[in-house]
Amino acid sequence: GDSVTQMEGPVTLSEEAFLTINCTYTATGYPSLFWYVQYPGEGLQLLLKATKADDKGSNKGFEATYRKETTSFHLEKGSVQVSDSAAYFCALRSGANSKLTFGKGITLSVRP
Amino acid sequence: DGGITQSPKYLFRKEGQNVTLSCEQNLNHDAMYWYRQDPGQGLRLIYYSQIVNDFQKGDIAEGYSVSREKKESFPLTVTSAQKNPTAFYLCASSSPAGTGNYEQYFGPGTRLTVT
């Protein structure tokens, strides 16, 4: 079945540091890929998405590129801010079903 | 503003009682979902519904029940058969598959504590 694997956390960075959060997937066919962000005590918000190979999703300084050859969708940001402290979830959707498969998530803390 | 509402934000119940969590959306979405979130385990799908009057079990449906009598509403009942009901519950909705718009939109969640 479909699965999403995220790097282990938590991650702590200093403000303005470079961020990479790894995400790899296993799926049949050509899935759509998503990154969601969750601030403490809140629901998830869509951060960015990509629907086909080599697409790059971007939003709020975050980027992720759909790499079919490595089945990856790593999240990057060049300079993190304290306000980026949150949990980040990678997810995929494949086939005709609208269900999403989520990774376990990773918590990011950014210190001033 | 369009969105998803979940109420209440915090809910406390005694063991052995059934409890119903509310989820309402005004996004005109056909599909709705319930997830459970526990620390370190990500999101696990409980039930989902792709259309009114139809729903399917997700990965952890045991001890839960749902109904989908209206497009806008998808209430979740946590029954006394659920062994570990204390968790954060998230409701989501999306346009149906085939529309090209696959992302799910989430409500703010309900934190249920059973003692």
Side-chain angles (χ1 to χ4, degrees), chain B residues 64-83:
Chain B
Y64 299 97
S65 65
V66 293
S67 62
R68 188 82 189 279
E69 297 175 1
K70 298 187 300 181
K71 187 176 185 178
E72 301 80 17
S73 178
F74 191 41
L76 173 75
T77 297
V78 184
T79 75
S80 56
Q82 168 51 234
K83 295 288 185 279

Side-chain angles (χ1 to χ4, degrees), chain A residues 32 34 36 38 41-46 49 51 87 89 93 95-100 102-105, chain B residues 9 31 33 35 37 40-43 45 48 50 88 90 94-97 101-104 106-108:
Chain A
S32 297
F34 307 86
Y36 281 85
Q38 183 181 33
E42 298 183 8
L44 275 68
Q45 302 173 28
L46 179 67
K49 67 179 181 181
T51 58
F89 295 88
R93 190 208 66 84
N97 201 304
S98 59
K99 288 192 302 177
L100 291 181
F102 284 88
K104 290 191 174 184
Chain B
K9 189 165 180 64
Y33 314 81
Y35 294 91
Q37 186 176 24
Q41 294 207 42
L43 277 72
L45 183 65
Y48 64 104
Q50 305 231 55
F88 190 50
L90 287 161
S94 71
S95 296
N101 193 10
Y102 305 128
E103 59 259 37
Q104 291 184 12
F106 284 80

Side-chain angles (χ1 to χ4, degrees), chain A residues 19-110:
Chain A
L19 169 70
T20 300
I21 300 177
N22 289 344
C23 172
T24 57
Y25 67 89
T26 303
T28 53
Y30 301 95
S32 297
L33 302 172
F34 307 86
W35 275 102
Y36 281 85
V37 58
Q38 183 181 33
Y39 299 100
E42 298 183 8
L44 275 68
Q45 302 173 28
L46 179 67
L47 181 59
L48 52 84
K49 67 179 181 181
T51 58
K52 61 182 188 295
D54 300 326
D55 267 2
K56 178 187 282 188
S58 61
N59 186 24
K60 300 180 181 180
F62 291 90
E63 293 183 338
T65 301
Y66 188 141
R67 301 285 187 201
K68 186 170 181 296
E69 63 275 14
T70 54
T71 61
S72 64
F73 193 54
H74 304 323
L75 183 68
E76 296 182 335
K77 187 174 185 182
S79 176
V80 293
Q81 306 300 311
V82 173
S83 57
D84 294 326
S85 298
Y88 292 83
F89 295 88
C90 185
L92 70 81
R93 190 208 66 84
S94 69
N97 201 304
S98 59
K99 288 192 302 177
L100 291 181
T101 300
F102 284 88
K104 290 191 174 184
I106 186 169
T107 299
L108 169 67
S109 297
V110 180

Side-chain angles (χ1 to χ4, degrees), chain B residues 2 4 55 61 74-75 80 84-85 114:
Chain B
I4 301 176
F55 49 83
F74 191 41
S80 56
N84 297 296
V114 176

